[in-house]
Coordinates of all heavy atoms in Angstrom, one line a residue:
D12 N -7.2 4.6 4.5 CA -5.8 4.4 5.0 C -5.5 2.9 5.1 O -4.6 2.4 5.8 CB -5.5 5.1 6.3 CG -4.1 5.4 6.5 OD1 -3.3 5.2 5.4 OD2 -3.6 5.9 7.6
N13 N -6.3 2.0 4.4 CA -6.0 0.6 4.3 C -5.2 0.3 3.1 O -4.9 1.3 2.2 CB -7.3 -0.2 4.4 CG -7.8 -0.4 5.8 OD1 -8.3 -1.4 6.1 ND2 -7.8 0.7 6.6
A14 N -4.9 -0.9 2.8 CA -4.2 -1.3 1.6 C -4.9 -0.9 0.3 O -4.2 -0.7 -0.8 CB -3.9 -2.8 1.6
R36 N -14.8 -1.1 8.8 CA -13.8 -1.8 9.7 C -14.3 -1.9 11.1 O -14.0 -2.8 11.9 CB -12.5 -1.1 9.6 CG -11.6 -1.2 8.4 CD -11.1 -2.6 8.3 NE -10.3 -3.1 9.4 CZ -9.0 -3.1 9.6 NH1 -8.3 -2.6 8.6 NH2 -8.4 -3.5 10.6
Q41 N -15.1 -6.5 6.7 CA -14.3 -7.3 5.8 C -14.5 -8.8 6.1 O -13.9 -9.7 5.3 CB -12.8 -6.9 5.9 CG -12.1 -7.4 7.2 CD -12.3 -6.4 8.4 OE1 -13.2 -5.6 8.4 NE2 -11.4 -6.5 9.4
K42 N -15.1 -9.1 7.2 CA -15.4 -10.6 7.4 C -16.9 -10.9 7.2 O -17.3 -12.0 7.6 CB -15.0 -10.9 9.0 CG -13.7 -10.5 9.3 CD -12.6 -11.2 8.6 CE -11.2 -10.8 9.2 NZ -10.1 -10.9 8.3
G53 N -11.1 -12.3 3.5 CA -11.6 -11.4 4.5 C -10.6 -10.2 4.6 O -10.5 -9.6 5.7
L54 N -10.0 -9.8 3.6 CA -9.0 -8.6 3.6 C -9.4 -7.6 2.6 O -9.9 -7.9 1.5 CB -7.6 -9.2 3.4 CG -7.0 -10.2 4.5 CD1 -5.7 -10.7 4.0 CD2 -6.9 -9.4 5.7
I55 N -9.0 -6.4 2.9 CA -9.2 -5.2 2.1 C -7.9 -5.0 1.4 O -6.9 -5.0 2.1 CB -9.6 -4.0 2.9 CG1 -10.9 -4.3 3.7 CG2 -9.8 -2.7 2.0 CD1 -11.2 -3.3 4.9
P56 N -7.9 -4.8 0.0 CA -8.9 -4.3 -0.8 C -9.4 -5.5 -1.7 O -8.9 -6.5 -1.8 CB -8.2 -3.4 -1.8 CG -6.8 -4.0 -1.9 CD -6.5 -4.6 -0.6
F66 N -8.6 -9.8 -5.6 CA -8.1 -9.5 -4.4 C -6.5 -9.5 -4.5 O -6.0 -10.0 -5.5 CB -8.6 -10.3 -3.2 CG -8.5 -11.7 -3.4 CD1 -7.3 -12.4 -3.1 CD2 -9.6 -12.5 -3.8 CE1 -7.3 -13.8 -3.2 CE2 -9.5 -13.9 -3.8 CZ -8.3 -14.6 -3.5
E67 N -5.8 -9.1 -3.4 CA -4.3 -9.0 -3.4 C -3.9 -7.7 -4.0 O -4.0 -7.5 -5.3 CB -3.6 -10.2 -3.9 CG -3.7 -11.4 -3.0 CD -3.1 -11.2 -1.6 OE1 -2.0 -10.5 -1.5 OE2 -3.6 -11.7 -0.7
T68 N -3.4 -6.8 -3.2 CA -3.0 -5.5 -3.6 C -2.0 -5.5 -4.8 O -2.1 -4.8 -5.8 CB -2.4 -4.7 -2.4 OG1 -3.2 -4.8 -1.3 CG2 -1.9 -3.3 -2.8
G69 N -1.0 -6.3 -4.7 CA 0.1 -6.5 -5.7 C -0.6 -6.9 -7.0 O -0.2 -6.5 -8.1
H106 N 5.2 -5.9 3.0 CA 3.8 -5.7 3.6 C 3.4 -6.8 4.5 O 3.0 -6.5 5.7 CB 2.8 -5.7 2.4 CG 1.4 -5.4 2.7 ND1 0.4 -5.4 1.8 CD2 0.9 -5.0 3.9 CE1 -0.7 -5.0 2.4 NE2 -0.4 -4.7 3.7
R110 N 2.3 -6.4 8.6 CA 1.1 -7.0 9.2 C 1.4 -7.6 10.5 O 0.5 -7.6 11.4 CB 0.5 -8.0 8.2 CG -0.3 -7.4 7.0 CD -1.0 -8.5 6.2 NE -1.6 -9.5 7.1 CZ -2.9 -9.3 7.5 NH1 -3.6 -8.2 7.1 NH2 -3.4 -10.2 8.2
Y114 N -1.1 -6.7 13.3 CA -2.0 -7.8 13.7 C -1.2 -8.9 14.4 O -1.3 -10.0 14.0 CB -2.8 -8.4 12.5 CG -3.4 -7.4 11.6 CD1 -2.8 -6.9 10.4 CD2 -4.7 -6.8 12.0 CE1 -3.5 -6.0 9.6 CE2 -5.3 -5.9 11.2 CZ -4.7 -5.5 10.0 OH -5.4 -4.6 9.2
Q117 N -2.6 -12.4 15.2 CA -2.8 -13.4 14.1 C -1.5 -14.3 14.0 O -1.7 -15.3 13.2 CB -3.2 -12.7 12.8 CG -4.5 -12.0 12.9 CD -4.9 -11.4 11.5 OE1 -4.4 -11.7 10.5 NE2 -5.9 -10.5 11.6
Y161 N 2.4 1.2 -4.2 CA 2.5 0.2 -3.1 C 3.3 0.8 -2.0 O 3.0 0.8 -0.7 CB 3.0 -1.1 -3.5 CG 2.5 -2.4 -2.8 CD1 2.3 -3.5 -3.5 CD2 2.1 -2.3 -1.5 CE1 1.8 -4.6 -2.8 CE2 1.5 -3.4 -0.8 CZ 1.5 -4.5 -1.5 OH 0.9 -5.6 -0.8
W168 N 2.3 3.8 7.1 CA 1.6 3.0 8.2 C 2.5 2.9 9.4 O 2.0 3.0 10.6 CB 1.1 1.7 7.7 CG 0.1 1.8 6.6 CD1 -0.9 2.8 6.5 CD2 -0.1 1.0 5.5 NE1 -1.7 2.6 5.4 CE2 -1.2 1.5 4.7 CE3 0.5 -0.2 5.0 CZ2 -1.6 0.9 3.5 CZ3 0.1 -0.8 3.8 CH2 -1.0 -0.3 3.1
Ligands
GSH1 N1 -2.1 -9.6 1.2 C1 -3.2 -8.8 1.3 C2 -3.2 -7.9 2.7 C3 -4.3 -7.0 2.8 C4 -4.4 -6.4 4.2 O1 -3.5 -6.7 5.1 N2 -5.5 -5.7 4.4 C5 -5.9 -5.2 5.8 C6 -6.1 -3.7 5.7 S1 -4.7 -2.8 5.3 C7 -7.1 -5.9 6.3 O2 -8.0 -6.2 5.5 N3 -7.1 -6.0 7.6 C8 -8.3 -6.4 8.3 C9 -8.0 -7.8 8.9 O3 -7.0 -8.4 8.9 O4 -9.1 -8.3 9.4 C10 -3.3 -7.7 0.2 O5 -2.2 -7.3 -0.2 O6 -4.3 -7.4 -0.3

Side-chain angles (χ1 to χ4, degrees):
D12 209 8
N13 277 222
R36 287 288 308 260
Q41 72 276 17
K42 311 294 185 207
L54 294 171
I55 302 162
F66 57 80
E67 285 299 322
T68 308
H106 191 181
R110 281 185 49 85
Y114 308 101
Q117 294 184 15
Y161 212 147
W168 297 326

